[in-house]
Amino acid sequence: MVRAAVQSAVGAPLEIARIDLPEPGPGQVRVRLAAAGVCHSDLSLSDGTLRVPLPAVLGHEGSGTVVSIGEGVRSVRPGDPVVLNWAPSCGTCVACGRGEVWLCENALTGVGAEYARTEDGRTLHPGLNVAAFAEETVVSEACLLPAPEGVALDEAALLGCAVLTGYGAVHHAARVREGESVVVFGAGGVGLAALQAARLAGAGSILAVDASPAKEELARRAGATDFVLASGTTAKEVRRLTGGGADVAIECVGRAVTIRTAWESTRRGGRTTVVGIGPVTEEVRFNALELFHWGRTLSGCVYGNSDPAADVPVLGEHVRAGRLDLSALVTERVPLDAIPDAFAAMRAGKGARALVVF
């Protein structure tokens, strides 16, 4: 029996409960969690913006140590430090064949599996494959990556989602070039990672936009050269600060008004990459003439368009060299019981990444 955060139904309060976690079967690995980041995607699972089978143990951004392995497991052994990969690519689908592993058609096939049981016998599913909001979890061998050497194991959890997504949005999706101006909308965990990634890419001016003035210090620490408080004139202010519009906008909020504002903040021919996940009720409108006239590009981004197996070692090298500061993304370290409070803080737009430390 281990303690875990259980989502019983859409919109229901998150429950910290004891669950009966089985030993690993063939191809599975049991991991003792060191830390798990509280991501906005977890909140989206809780409120039904993203749909997975329920009840489930949430949490998808985590790191820990291998406790035991099932039959046939070859890539890890007990005692190995690992980072959880919630979207493992199958390597055989059409998307994987194109090299677009972040669009793998089979990445989330495990979410419907029977994962564990509650004390009263209810079947639980593994949220986004890895069920990181638990003292221990059992995952497929494919859901594990070696934790980079020289990176604190608790902070390595952030490599599994926030940093991969923010870094990938800048380097893989938007392909920011040296000297370009970049504006990042939303200074949460992913947004702060994107700001650091823009600095790594050699961007010229780096602007951060957020609705909370309290985010300015965090944004500047991450690399922002300017901070814009979100308002009805945000696009105009960004265009003024960048001399006509940013080359690249990275939207990390997932709201129609923010996506539209990000697009309007770029220059003629500018590029907007949408990272934020919004509900189906949020619709973005454009007219045909403005699409032609401005010549801007608007594109989506899944998991930073990243290949975790290739990118996590690169990120580890940036951390070791001091070019990437994982601690700058963490605004509080909390116990498992405090995850509901961390959800409430996210809803209120407070802080960046809350890190559950076990």
Side-chain angles (χ1 to χ4, degrees):
M1 302 292 290
V2 300
R3 297 173 71 243
V6 175
Q7 187 71 43
S8 60
V10 170
L14 199 66
E15 176 188 1
I16 308 301
R18 289 176 59 81
I19 66 170
D20 186 3
L21 185 67
E23 289 303 314
Q28 293 184 322
V29 179
R30 188 174 182 121
V31 176
R32 179 178 299 113
L33 273 295
V38 183
C39 178
H40 203 279
S41 295
D42 297 309
L43 189 58
S44 295
L45 292 170
S46 177
D47 65 20
T49 298
L50 295 175
R51 295 284 183 152
V52 294
L54 296 175
V57 175
L58 299 188
H60 64 280
E61 181 183 86
S63 59
T65 303
V66 173
V67 175
S68 58
I69 61 176
E71 181 183 351
V73 173
R74 297 286 182 267
S75 63
V76 295
R77 59 185 180 182
D80 284 353
V82 292
V83 173
L84 302 182
N85 174 16
W86 63 270
S89 55
C90 70
T92 60
C93 70
V94 173
C96 287
R98 291 193 299 259
E100 298 173 342
V101 297
W102 55 92
L103 299 179
C104 175
E105 299 167 12
N106 301 308
L108 295 179
T109 55
V111 301
E114 180 175 332
Y115 166 73
R117 290 187 177 275
T118 61
E119 285 189 292
D120 60 5
R122 288 178 296 154
T123 297
L124 294 171
H125 303 286
L128 288 180
N129 278 327
V130 296
F133 288 166
E135 295 168 330
E136 294 187 6
T137 187
V138 172
V139 302
S140 166
E141 180 181 12
C143 290
L144 297 179
L145 298 167
E149 293 184 9
V151 178
L153 187 56
D154 58 348
E155 293 181 353
L158 303 173
L159 300 177
C161 185
V163 180
L164 264 179
T165 302
Y167 174 89
V170 169
H171 287 266
H172 302 319
R175 298 184 179 181
V176 173
R177 298 182 287 266
E178 186 173 358
E180 287 190 313
S181 55
V182 176
V183 56
V184 176
F185 285 76
V190 173
L192 294 177
L195 289 169
Q196 291 202 42
R199 186 189 64 217
L200 284 172
S205 56
I206 304 174
L207 290 73
V209 178
D210 200 276
S212 171
K215 297 287 186 72
E216 180 171 1
E217 182 179 351
L218 290 170
R220 290 189 181 276
R221 181 181 171 189
T225 57
D226 297 276
F227 181 84
V228 177
L229 191 63
S231 70
T233 60
T234 295
K236 182 178 180 180
E237 180 66 7
V238 172
R239 291 196 300 270
R240 183 187 70 80
L241 290 170
T242 55
D247 295 301
V248 174
I250 308 291
E251 198 277 350
C252 302
V253 181
R255 295 182 58 209
V257 64
T258 315
I259 294 169
R260 175 76 203 200
T261 302
W263 186 81
E264 291 178 354
S265 297
T266 61
R267 61 169 174 81
R268 197 174 186 187
R271 314 188 299 280
T272 298
T273 296
V274 178
V275 181
I277 302 171
V280 295
T281 53
E282 293 279 332
E283 296 186 354
V284 190
R285 297 175 64 93
F286 302 93
N287 67 60
L289 181 59
E290 66 181 337
L291 290 174
F292 158 77
H293 173 76
W294 288 103
R296 293 163 170 155
T297 300
L298 178 69
S299 61
C301 174
V302 178
Y303 205 7
N305 291 12
S306 294
D307 178 353
D311 288 335
V312 166
V314 173
L315 294 172
E317 178 55 35
H318 284 311
V319 174
R320 288 191 294 272
R323 296 185 293 265
L324 184 62
D325 182 6
L326 299 181
S327 66
L329 277 62
V330 180
T331 48
E332 61 175 343
R333 294 169 182 264
V334 300
L336 181 67
D337 302 85
I339 294 177
D341 294 332
F343 273 19
M346 274 196 295
R347 290 190 184 96
K350 297 179 180 178
R353 230 1 162 240
L355 192 65
V356 180
V357 180
F358 296 90

